[in-house]
Amino acid sequence: MEAAQLTLAIRSTLNTTRIIQQYMQHRNLAKRYRARRRRQRGHVSDQDMDTDFSESMGPANACIMVLMGQVHAVERRFWARETSTDWWDRILLQVWDDSQWLQNFRMRKGTFIELCDLLSPALRRMNTKMRATLTVEKRVAIALCKLATPDSYLSVGNQFGVGKSTVGAAVMQVAHAIKDLLISRVVTLGNVQVIVDGFAAMGFPNCGGAIDGTYIPILAPEHQAGEYLNRKGYFSIVLQALVDHKGRFTNIIVGWPGKVHDARIFRNSGLFQKLQEGTLFPDQKITVGDVEMPICTLGDPAYPLMPWLMKPYTGSLDSSQELFNYRLSKCRMAVECAFGRLKARLRSLLTRLDLSETNIPTVITACCVLHNICESKGETFMAGWEVEANRLAVGYAQPDTRAVRRAQEGAVRIREALKTSFMTGQATV
């Protein structure tokens, strides 16, 4: 063998030896840490006391073993910082009662288990040689904890014994699963007659829902940031929603930049098209005075006055107009309360979402689904949540009502007839 080839072979052998030593040193550190943890818990095995490879031989012996082929390939694995999962494994799953589940995850344990069962087809994963996958339950719990609090990814990860990147991945996996599997089942109109009766009991006849929009604050996007800067001076995405008399979302429109007016978002939505075509609600009319009125929705002055969308009078008002506005406002409070409860339950919506523009609508949609599940299951809404939400919302003012003057003649007649009937109490089916 020539001198150059011999030198190259020796260098290759030494490099291989160095890699093996580094590997064994890492393994020794991990083994010592695990042994210390076992000793602290009172469990010490013979294996924990084994002499380490790197301590029992020097570079010369390692070189000889490499040349003799006595060092065999080891199974590949990821090296990860060991973290504690005791909070999840020993306390949360075994000790916590429903009130503690509600405070931290916004739902009782029974509702949580049902949610996991529904999402399991999309979230179930297989273990790999690299590491064991998170269970469906743990992944959902991580996502709920992150959505329910303004805590950082690192803080949530420390609670569950996972890294912050794992928290981010869990949030998006769960959000996508909710969007794919549950939105069509949970965010839906349901029994229209029950909704109509509910709004009638609140003072407005033949009403199928209340509509409004709200800003969800976000970090400045990388592209076209100016489009997301709303009139209040911060970056946001608009959530526009139709709700029933109990504040459950029956239709949501998510993703428009904060600069866009509510009326434009509405006119470019599938909801507007269905209302215009008369396909959203059953063809059920009532007679108000001498005017027929279809099932309608209620909006603020930012929306156009249509036969199927009633909005308040503006300007100088007489007593009959004030009464009409009072009745409409009382019922339209359902959507404002829904937004308030949504953000108080899932407080991440009150801080600037640090997600990409493509992921934010998915997360907001998932939050709306979770809100509906909690409302439908009768999950308690704790009084302290609203106080905390108001504190977090300081600095993120919501849209002003910029009145839209457009109105159809038939809509004006319906509103005038309703105004008169409220004064006389003569609205009839």
Side-chain angles (χ1 to χ4, degrees):
M1 180 181 294
E2 295 182 2
Q5 292 177 327
L6 181 61
T7 301
L8 183 62
I10 292 173
R11 285 179 179 176
S12 177
T13 300
L14 290 175
N15 286 336
T16 303
T17 302
R18 189 178 299 110
I19 292 171
I20 293 173
Q21 286 184 302
Q22 290 174 349
Y23 164 75
M24 298 310 299
Q25 287 170 359
H26 281 299
R27 191 179 72 168
N28 184 44
L29 290 174
K31 184 186 293 184
R32 287 181 178 179
Y33 179 79
R34 289 194 295 270
R36 185 167 63 253
R37 290 288 299 275
R38 291 191 182 99
R39 286 196 295 271
Q40 289 171 350
R41 297 172 183 171
H43 302 290
V44 182
S45 66
D46 293 337
Q47 184 180 1
D48 296 328
M49 307 303 293
D50 285 346
T51 303
D52 181 63
F53 178 93
S54 62
E55 294 179 338
S56 64
M57 66 180 190
N61 288 336
C63 291
I64 294 171
M65 293 184 70
V66 169
L67 293 173
M68 294 179 65
Q70 293 182 8
V71 176
H72 303 289
V74 297
E75 181 182 357
R76 289 187 61 190
R77 57 172 293 182
F78 283 130
W79 287 102
R81 174 175 60 90
E82 291 199 16
T83 52
S84 174
T85 63
D86 286 353
W87 183 70
W88 167 256
D89 296 327
R90 300 175 183 272
I91 299 175
L92 195 152
L93 289 178
Q94 300 180 24
V95 178
W96 273 13
D97 58 22
D98 276 345
S99 65
Q100 291 168 305
W101 274 85
L102 188 66
Q103 182 64 45
N104 288 272
F105 299 107
R106 290 353 197 197
M107 60 182 65
R108 293 164 294 176
K109 186 176 181 180
T111 304
F112 172 82
I113 296 301
E114 288 184 36
L115 176 63
C116 292
D117 290 341
L118 291 172
L119 299 179
S120 182
L123 294 178
R124 192 180 295 114
R125 299 285 190 274
M126 297 294 292
N127 290 338
T128 68
K129 290 184 178 180
M130 298 301 185
R131 64 175 63 187
T133 187
L134 296 180
T135 64
V136 171
E137 291 76 15
K138 190 169 185 178
R139 202 174 298 129
V140 174
I142 290 171
L144 289 180
C145 188
K146 181 66 183 81
L147 295 175
T149 68
D151 295 347
S152 66
Y153 289 95
L154 180 61
S155 176
V156 174
N158 286 340
Q159 292 183 66
F160 287 89
V162 299
K164 61 182 182 180
S165 61
T166 302
V167 175
V171 169
M172 290 315 305
Q173 289 165 2
V174 171
H176 279 295
I178 290 174
K179 182 179 178 181
D180 294 342
L181 298 179
L182 300 185
I183 187 170
S184 61
R185 299 169 56 177
V186 177
V187 181
T188 183
L189 197 57
N191 190 322
V192 176
Q193 189 56 53
V194 171
I195 298 173
V196 169
D197 292 343
F199 279 114
M202 296 166 65
F204 209 99
N206 221 31
C207 174
I211 188 171
D212 202 1
T214 187
Y215 291 144
I216 306 296
I218 63 172
L219 294 176
E222 293 183 1
H223 307 289
Q224 298 182 319
E227 293 298 313
Y228 292 85
L229 189 63
N230 61 42
R231 291 172 61 88
K232 296 300 181 179
Y234 61 92
F235 299 99
S236 65
I237 276 181
V238 178
L239 164 62
Q240 193 165 108
L242 182 71
V243 307
D244 65 13
H245 59 296
K246 290 190 174 182
R248 294 173 297 202
F249 299 112
T250 58
N251 186 283
I252 57 174
I253 306 155
V254 188
W256 283 80
K259 187 177 180 179
V260 183
H261 190 276
D262 282 350
R264 180 183 169 194
I265 297 172
F266 179 54
R267 282 188 173 274
N268 286 276
S269 68
L271 175 63
F272 180 91
Q273 184 175 354
K274 289 179 180 179
L275 287 165
Q276 183 85 304
E277 295 171 350
T279 58
L280 183 67
F281 300 123
D283 184 16
Q284 174 179 307
K285 295 182 174 65
I286 64 171
T287 301
V288 183
D290 60 350
V291 177
E292 283 194 337
M293 172 188 171
I295 296 178
C296 69
T297 55
L298 306 179
D300 64 21
Y303 293 88
L305 182 64
M306 309 290 284
W308 37 262
L309 198 161
M310 293 289 104
K311 65 184 229 179
Y313 290 95
T314 57
S316 180
L317 307 179
D318 60 30
S319 58
S320 62
Q321 291 171 331
E322 288 179 348
L323 177 59
F324 176 90
N325 284 3
Y326 168 76
R327 293 263 194 117
L328 185 146
S329 177
K330 182 180 178 182
C331 293
R332 207 182 62 80
M333 284 293 292
V335 66
E336 294 181 1
C337 289
F339 287 147
R341 291 166 75 93
L342 167 72
K343 294 178 181 180
R345 269 201 178 97
L346 302 161
R347 289 174 291 167
S348 62
L349 298 179
L350 288 167
T351 58
R352 295 183 298 171
L353 290 176
D354 49 348
L355 299 165
S356 68
E357 301 97 297
T358 55
N359 285 337
I360 288 174
T362 300
V363 170
I364 296 173
T365 298
C367 288
C368 291
V369 173
L370 292 171
H371 165 87
N372 274 15
I373 290 174
C374 291
E375 292 291 326
S376 299
K377 290 290 184 179
E379 298 294 350
T380 302
F381 184 85
M382 294 185 173
W385 295 353
E386 189 172 0
V387 175
E388 174 67 8
N390 290 336
R391 184 186 66 81
L392 291 172
V394 173
Y396 297 119
Q398 290 303 307
D400 289 328
T401 300
R402 291 179 282 163
V404 172
R405 302 295 180 184
R406 293 187 297 272
Q408 291 187 359
E409 182 180 350
V412 173
R413 293 180 63 231
I414 291 173
R415 186 168 69 171
E416 288 295 306
L418 280 170
K419 178 193 69 173
T420 302
S421 73
F422 289 163
M423 291 294 289
T424 61
Q426 294 179 348
T428 59
V429 177

